[in-house]
Amino acid sequence: MVMEEKKFELVSFALCPYVQRARAILIEKNIKHDIKFIDLDSPPEWFFDISPMEKVPVLLVDGKPLFESMVRGEYLDEVTEGSLHPLDPFDKAVNRAWIEYGNTILSETYDLFTTSDEKRFKQITASLDEKFDTLEDECLQGTPFFNGDKFAIIDAVYAPVFRFHIALAQYNDFGFFDDRPQLCLWRDTLLSYDAVIKSVPEDYANELDVYLRKQDSIFSSKMKA
Ligand SMILES: N[C@@H](CCC(=O)N[C@@H](CS)C(=O)NCC(=O)O)C(=O)O
């Protein structure tokens, strides 16, 4: 069932990893939607009226704003047929817990390419390596998707993380995926999955490259070296 009676519009900026989650869920669930990109450096006045945290993305549902990724993702899942969460309450809670873990990985990944502090750069590299190790050793089950053979909300959360790391690895070998076959399988499944591919604009890779280079950071100096 598609929510044809409601109008969905996402407001975001083109490279935002959080909007990729929303789009992957919207696409997976066949929900018709529009997307409007704004410049986060000089957002339009109306943006402050719809975004109490002054962050993107915001989902407008018949013009009414909904912020925060997890809330938005679960709302979209609940108002359409079928669920992209496990049905068992414990399994669902486990998914939510690892989604929180993924949020931390995402935010550390952002720090990784924006920090200009050498000590911090090393700290985050080590911390991310530990987190990917934990995913490999304590969490993943060797299945293509997190819960088996079906795409779920948690997959929509980790896909943008993997997309960032594929881009970063072109310029610096962090070794995050070395000897981690389950992590590699999950990453490769997600990045070749239709809803994930379509969750970014066609010129995303180039735009991301330009954005990464523009940072005044340790990572951008490695890109330019
Ligand atoms: N917790 C928020 C995080 C969203 C977020 O951090 N968005 C970034 C862009 S990708 C943002 O708007 N940053 C602007 C700022 O922090 O001022 C969510 O899950 O939607």
Side-chain angles (χ1 to χ4, degrees), residues 13 16-18 40 54-57 68-69 72:
F13 101 100
C16 177
Y18 298 94
L40 257 194
E54 301 187 3
K55 287 179 193 283
V56 291
E68 277 307 312
S69 296
R72 183 172 42 236

